[in-house]
């Protein structure tokens, strides 16, 4: 090395120091908001107190008072699909989750948009925010790919503590729901987590990690994007021991009474209008009052666990808020809270355990067979609360997770933070979608969504930014002509304005399109196809457009194709036969007015 | 302690059968057994049949101790059958159970008088010889009422039981034995006691782990006192006994949903005999340790076996007990539901 070489380091060093100082100064002056996106897993529409629920959720209710609640926010019927749209800002059929990776139909395998993981046609909002100077953190469920180039660390999160699969034990046993990967694979900062701490409980540890990441990264003055993807209250319904009986006997009255109370409370809150039709109790479920008290206690215990999980999550979210207030960042943080899909009413254990003789059955027997009434909720148990309580969680809607009814796709949404106008308000006019979140965050951060990322072409976002809506300039990012499309497992729907068409396998649907008016009938009880055939045809045309635009490939197999064999046919006529009505006898004035037009 | 002299020396001899009759008398409830005070739904019926083989061997006592009531080298074997019926109910809005015991069997005792000072031998018995006595038939029946004081709500309906997750419980139990059993005042070995007797107990339980089949563990301690009325014809004499203070304890643990075991402890102290107003022999102090295995065969039927042996207390006594028990329980509502289910 020459003489000049000896001189160069100090000069370079000076340059570097100058750059760092300038950059640091710039970062210190970066007053862009932090983003905290909190996603519950399988939580229902009406579970939060601020949405009419009886579950104690003071933190989120308080958040609702500081921000705005939205009544018409849509997600996908299942989790990984929603997450792909959340992070990409585009439709799931483009982002790689045209179907859940675990349930791809034979004709979908290998097709673009059906990779079963978040594909490379999209850049995650985390990647784009990170490149623009944000810290990006994630704690919780990923479910968008297992390979090294698919995990959170490879998709834009500089720090992460992630469960890569769709669910599993909430405690340190860490077993996965699926036998193929018996232990839930976790990563921390991109590296496999070999062993979970002994006192691990998902919700608590995800919260710990979120706070830790923010704390360890806050000295440089950069804003952060934190994605808290809780696995609560996804099954198995499990809570720490001292939370097991927090709702002791609170649900022994059964689902009908609890649901009626929720509907009444929703009307009080303005979430539900008077005179509109709510969904009947599902036709294959018994009236709770017909059940023996002991049976109600057994069923009620599961709802107790669910409620405890939700409250525990609320409590932990409060820890994050307290921490942000402590470090002075709360007021500069946009908080978005929602659930990834409708409440879980399917028999997940049954799906996992399959039949005796299968690997799934063996896996379930080894890891989560305990089902004693006093044991459920603990490590080693796999309790789910089933369709009866899921329809309560999804009141006033019909069905639950997995379906493109409102019960499968409608989620509570609370947005709060700097620039959000109308604190404590309730927006019933906006039609919103989870794929709106990425463009919203990018716009709030002053970032243009690029056409290329890391040298590859990426698709544009389909979501619509909420920035004007949050600023109080408009009521909704969507106009009368805008529409939303949904498809999963062959169930499909289009919503435009108050109108919706949906197609479901029997007996959940009729294997044909049905037309509903959500303004009068959010419970999707009354097929108006005969009365408004033109509207139905219009929406079917939009469906065709949706298929074309997003490369939808309807699967040649579906998890629901055989459902008819296990359930009776639903009665869907307008003059519903009394036995299928719930206890509530809601007058249908709006529907009657509509029909008399 | 007041020593026995004169005619009372004979009565010292008969103190051995007193010990035997103690065994037989207590065969009404040799020990209550593990999980005996666990609560059932009101209306639950429990029928139990027990077979007990008890052996008492004092042959290790190489030196005669006049303070003791047992003859050296006295062996006793008893085959006892106990049938009991219990019904769970509520009393004053508290969980309770009423139990009736019927006891029977046979007892045989052998006495070797080689080491016995002549003054302690019964009339007609030649020193250096041995003799035997036996008895068979019914022993004294008894009835016991147990009421929970703390820790358990009334278990009336099925859902009460579903919500039942006890941590600790305290009961009070009262037992009364009625002298209806076989008794021959000319013999020193009898199955009946020829007197009323009773027990007051305060069963206490602490539940560990999860109150769910396969996960239950408990520590159970039952302090109690046995009380005996006067036997006015004990080989023609008046026999009185001090109370027996007893502590029974069990550490129970589920191995599977249908199989639990327990380590059992039974300690007794007291029973100083007094014949015609004079103390005879000394009091007893026996500590047994044992194990119990309990297997639930069906929803209704349970099999239980126990073994215990004395491991502390009076050093010159070896005793052991083997028990085999069949327990059948039913609740009419549950049985009716099974009928519906089977149709």
């Amino acid at each position: 090395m020459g003489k000049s070489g000896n001189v160069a380091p100090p000069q370079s060093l000076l340059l570097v120091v100058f750059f760092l100082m300038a950059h640091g100064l710039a970062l210190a002056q970066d007053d862009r908001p932090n983003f905290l996106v909190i996603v519950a897993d399988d939580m229902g529409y009406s579970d939060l107190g601020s949405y009419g629920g009886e579950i104690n959720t003071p933190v989120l209710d308080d958040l609702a008072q500081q921000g705005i609640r939205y009544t018409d926010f849509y997600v996908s019927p299942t989790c990984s699909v929603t997450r792909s749209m959340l992070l990409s800002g585009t439709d799931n059929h483009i982002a790689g989750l045209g179907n859940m990776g675990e349930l791809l139909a034979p004709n979908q395998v290998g097709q673009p948009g059906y990779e079963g993981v978040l594909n490379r046609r999209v850049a995650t909002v985390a990647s784009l925010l990170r490149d623009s100077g944000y810290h990006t953190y994630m704690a919780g469920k990923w479910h968008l790919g297992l390979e090294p180039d698919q995990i959170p660390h490879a998709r834009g999160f500089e720090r992460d503590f992630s469960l890569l699969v769709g669910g599993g034990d909430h405690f340190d046993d860490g077993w996965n729901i699926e036998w193929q990967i018996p232990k839930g694979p976790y990563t921390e900062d991109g590296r496999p987590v070999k062993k979970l701490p002994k006192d691990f409980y998902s919700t608590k540890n995800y919260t710990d990690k979120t706070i830790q990441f923010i704390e360890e990264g806050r000295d440089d003055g950069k804003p952060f994007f934190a994605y808290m993807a809780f696995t609560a209250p996804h099954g198995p319904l499990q809570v720490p021991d001292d939370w097991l009986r927090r709702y002791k006997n609170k649900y022994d009255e059964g689902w009908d009474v609890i649901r009626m109370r929720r509907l009444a409370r929703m009307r009080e809150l303005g979430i539900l209008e008077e005179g509109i039709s709510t969904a009947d109790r599902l036709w294959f479920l018994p009236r709770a009052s017909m059940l023996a008290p002991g049976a109600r206690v057994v069923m009620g215990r599961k709802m107790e666990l669910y409620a405890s999980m939700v409250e525990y999550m609320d409590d932990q979210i409060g820890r994050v808020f307290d921490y942000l207030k402590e470090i002075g960042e709360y007021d500069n943080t946009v908080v978005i809270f929602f659930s990834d899909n409708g409440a879980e009413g399917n028999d997940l254990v049954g799906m996992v355990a399959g039949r005796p003789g299968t690997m799934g059955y063996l896996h379930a027997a080894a890891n989560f067979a305990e089902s004693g009434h006093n044991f459920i909720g603990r490590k080693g148990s796999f309790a789910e609360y089933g369709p009866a309580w899921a329809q309560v969680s999804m009141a006033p809607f019909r069905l639950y997770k997995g379906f493109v009814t409102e019960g499968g796709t409608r989620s509570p949404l609370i947005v709060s933070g700097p620039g959000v106008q109308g604190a404590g308000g309730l927006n019933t006019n906006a039609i919103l979608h989870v794929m709106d979140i990425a463009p919203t965050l990018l716009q709030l951060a002053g970032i243009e969504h690029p056409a290329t990322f890391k040298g590859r072409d990426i698709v544009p976002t389909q979501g619509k930014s909420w920035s004007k809506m949050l600023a109080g300039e408009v009521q909704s990012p969507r106009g009368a002509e805008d529409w939303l499309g949904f498809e999963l497992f062959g169930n499909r729907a289009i919503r435009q304005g108050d109108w919706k068409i949906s197609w479901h396998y029997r007996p959940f649907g009729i294997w044909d399109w049905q037309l509903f008016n959500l303004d009068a009938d959010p419970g999707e009880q009354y097929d108006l196809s005969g009365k408004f055939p033109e509207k139905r045809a219009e929406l079917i045309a939009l469906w065709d457009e949706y298929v074309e635009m997003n490369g939808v490939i309807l699967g040649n197999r579906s998890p629901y194709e055989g459902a008819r064999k296990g359930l009776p046919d639903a009665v869907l006529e307008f003059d519903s036969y009394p036995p299928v009505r719930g206890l509530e006898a809601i007058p249908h004035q709006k529907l009657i007015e509509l029909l008399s037009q | 302690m007041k020593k026995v002299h004169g005619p009372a020396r004979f009565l010292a001899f008969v103190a051995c059968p007193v010990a035997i009759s103690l065994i037989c008398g207590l065969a009404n409830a040799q020990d209550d057994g593990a999980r005996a005070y666990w609560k059932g739904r009101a209306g639950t019926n429990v029928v139990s049949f027990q077979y007990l083989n008890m052996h008492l061997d004092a042959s290790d006592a190489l030196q005669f101790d006049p303070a003791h009531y047992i003859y050296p080298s006295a062996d006793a074997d008893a085959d006892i059958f106990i049938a009991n019926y219990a019904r769970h109910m509520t009393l004053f809005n508290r969980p309770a159970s009423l139990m009736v015991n019927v006891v029977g069997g046979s007892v045989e005792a052998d006495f070797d008088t080689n080491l016995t000072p002549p003054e302690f031998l019964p009339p007609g018995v030649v020193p250096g010889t041995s003799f035997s006595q036996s008895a068979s038939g019914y022993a004294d029946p008894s009835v016991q009422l147990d009421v929970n004081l703390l820790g358990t709500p009334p278990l009336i309906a099925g859902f009460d039981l579903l919500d039942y997750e006890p941590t600790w419980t305290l009961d009070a139990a009262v037992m009364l034995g009625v002298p209806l059993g076989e008794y021959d005042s000319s013999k020193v070995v009898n199955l009946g006691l020829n007197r009323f007797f009773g027990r007051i107990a305060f069963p206490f339980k602490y539940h560990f782990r999860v109150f769910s089949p396969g996960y239950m563990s408990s520590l159970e301690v039952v302090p109690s006192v046995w009380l005996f009325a006067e036997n006015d014809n004990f080989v023609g004499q008046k026999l009185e006994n001090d109370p027996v203070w007893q502590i029974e304890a069990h550490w129970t643990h589920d191995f599977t949903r249908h199989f639990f075991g327990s380590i059992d402890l039974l300690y007794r102290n007291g029973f100083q005999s007094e014949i015609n107003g004079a103390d005879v022999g000394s009091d007893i102090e026996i500590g047994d340790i044992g194990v119990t295995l309990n297997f639930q065969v069906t929803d209704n039927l349970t099999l239980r076996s126990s073994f215990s042996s004395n491991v502390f207390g009076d050093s010159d006594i070896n005793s052991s007990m083997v028990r085999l028990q069949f327990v059948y329980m039913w609740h009419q509502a549950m049985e009716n539901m099974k009928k519906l289910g089977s149709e």
Side-chain angles (χ1 to χ4, degrees), chain B:
Chain B
M1 186 170 55
K2 195 174 178 181
K3 297 297 180 187
V4 181
H5 299 287
R9 286 183 299 179
F10 168 73
L11 300 176
F13 161 77
V14 299
C16 173
V18 169
I20 295 169
S21 60
L22 172 70
I23 293 170
C24 300
L26 297 188
N28 281 287
Q30 175 66 75
D31 60 333
D32 294 315
R35 300 189 176 178
Y37 291 96
W38 284 37
K39 302 303 172 204
R41 179 180 172 186
T44 300
N45 303 283
V46 184
V47 171
S48 160
F49 297 98
Q50 296 183 48
Y51 164 73
L52 296 90
N53 176 259
M54 289 179 285
H55 180 72
L56 183 72
D57 177 6
S59 61
D60 288 345
L62 297 176
Q63 292 186 339
F64 179 67
D65 178 359
H68 257 297
Y69 51 84
I70 290 179
Y71 263 64
S73 304
D75 295 339
D77 273 298
D79 292 306
I80 303 296
F81 296 90
I82 303 175
N84 66 41
Y85 167 76
R87 183 173 173 88
H88 293 268
M89 56 190 182
T90 56
L91 192 66
F92 306 119
N93 205 32
R94 303 300 311 162
S97 64
L98 185 67
M99 181 170 66
V100 177
N101 293 305
V102 177
V103 186
S106 63
V107 181
E108 186 173 316
D110 299 319
F111 302 93
D112 184 343
T113 60
N114 270 324
L115 298 175
T116 306
E119 63 269 29
F120 283 95
L121 293 177
V125 175
V126 179
T129 64
S130 61
F131 70 98
S132 300
Q133 281 194 345
S134 63
S136 62
Y138 286 107
D140 299 328
S142 64
V143 59
Q144 174 169 300
L145 177 67
D146 170 64
V147 181
N148 175 262
L149 301 177
L150 296 166
T152 302
L155 302 173
I156 299 168
F159 58 84
D160 291 329
L161 215 61
L162 287 169
D163 270 332
Y164 180 43
E165 291 180 272
T167 50
W168 60 271
T169 70
L170 179 66
D171 288 14
V174 178
M175 191 198 83
L176 176 67
V178 184
L180 297 176
E182 175 278 332
Y183 187 77
D184 182 348
S185 62
S186 67
K187 290 163 61 177
V188 294
V189 175
N190 280 296
L191 281 164
L193 293 183
N194 194 37
R195 55 181 168 177
F196 284 94
F197 60 95
R199 187 175 72 137
I200 299 169
F202 293 95
F204 170 85
K205 295 184 277 107
Y206 187 84
H207 293 269
F208 300 88
R209 304 205 300 164
V210 184
F211 198 70
S212 183
Y215 288 88
M216 297 186 283
S217 294
S218 63
L219 173 64
E220 303 168 5
V221 180
V222 186
S224 63
V225 57
W226 291 85
L227 302 168
F228 301 89
E230 174 188 301
N231 181 352
D232 59 1
N233 189 6
F234 181 70
V235 203
Q237 309 299 315
K238 187 177 78 174
L239 172 66
E240 296 170 281
N241 284 94
D242 286 351
V244 174
W245 300 94
Q246 174 176 301
I247 292 180
E248 177 182 344
H250 305 275
W251 171 263
T252 80
H253 183 81
D254 278 1
F255 299 118
T256 71
R257 290 170 65 88
H258 302 295
F259 180 37
F260 79 81
S262 78
I263 296 171
D264 311 316
L265 180 144
L266 182 67
Y267 173 79
R268 287 181 173 138
N269 182 230
F271 207 62
Q272 173 67 54
S273 297
E274 194 176 276
I275 294 176
N276 295 331
D279 282 356
V280 177
S282 67
D283 59 1
I284 59 167
E285 184 183 21
I286 300 175
D288 292 344
I289 288 181
V291 294
T292 296
L293 297 175
N294 189 98
F295 182 67
Q296 186 182 346
V297 183
T298 68
D299 288 346
N300 302 93
L301 180 65
T302 297
L303 293 183
R304 177 181 291 201
S305 63
S306 305
F307 172 78
S308 65
S309 180
N310 73 310
V311 294
F312 59 93
D314 293 332
S315 61
D316 54 350
I317 299 173
N318 282 331
S319 68
S320 62
M321 183 193 73
V322 174
R323 171 162 53 191
L324 190 61
Q325 187 173 5
F326 298 81
V327 181
Y328 191 87
M329 63 174 67
W330 75 96
H331 187 285
Q332 196 56 51
M334 301 301 291
E335 297 307 307
N336 288 347
M337 278 191 262
K338 284 182 192 172
K339 288 178 194 170
L340 288 174
S342 65
E343 287 177 356

Side-chain angles (χ1 to χ4, degrees), chain A residues 216-228:
Chain A
E216 290 175 0
R218 74 187 179 96
D219 285 346
D220 59 11
K222 291 163 70 173
F224 66 80
F225 164 57
Y227 173 35
M228 293 186 79

Side-chain angles (χ1 to χ4, degrees), chain A residues 245 248-249 252 293-295 297-298 301 304 370-375 378-379, chain B residues 157-166 209-215 257 337:
Chain A
R245 300 310 308 275
K248 186 175 181 180
N249 301 120
D252 290 357
V297 168
V298 169
R301 179 70 68 88
E304 288 178 23
E370 290 300 339
S371 57
H373 182 65
N374 285 340
F375 195 91
R378 303 168 194 270
K379 193 193 299 187
Chain B
F159 58 84
D160 291 329
L161 215 61
L162 287 169
D163 270 332
Y164 180 43
E165 291 180 272
R209 304 205 300 164
V210 184
F211 198 70
S212 183
Y215 288 88
R257 290 170 65 88
M337 278 191 262

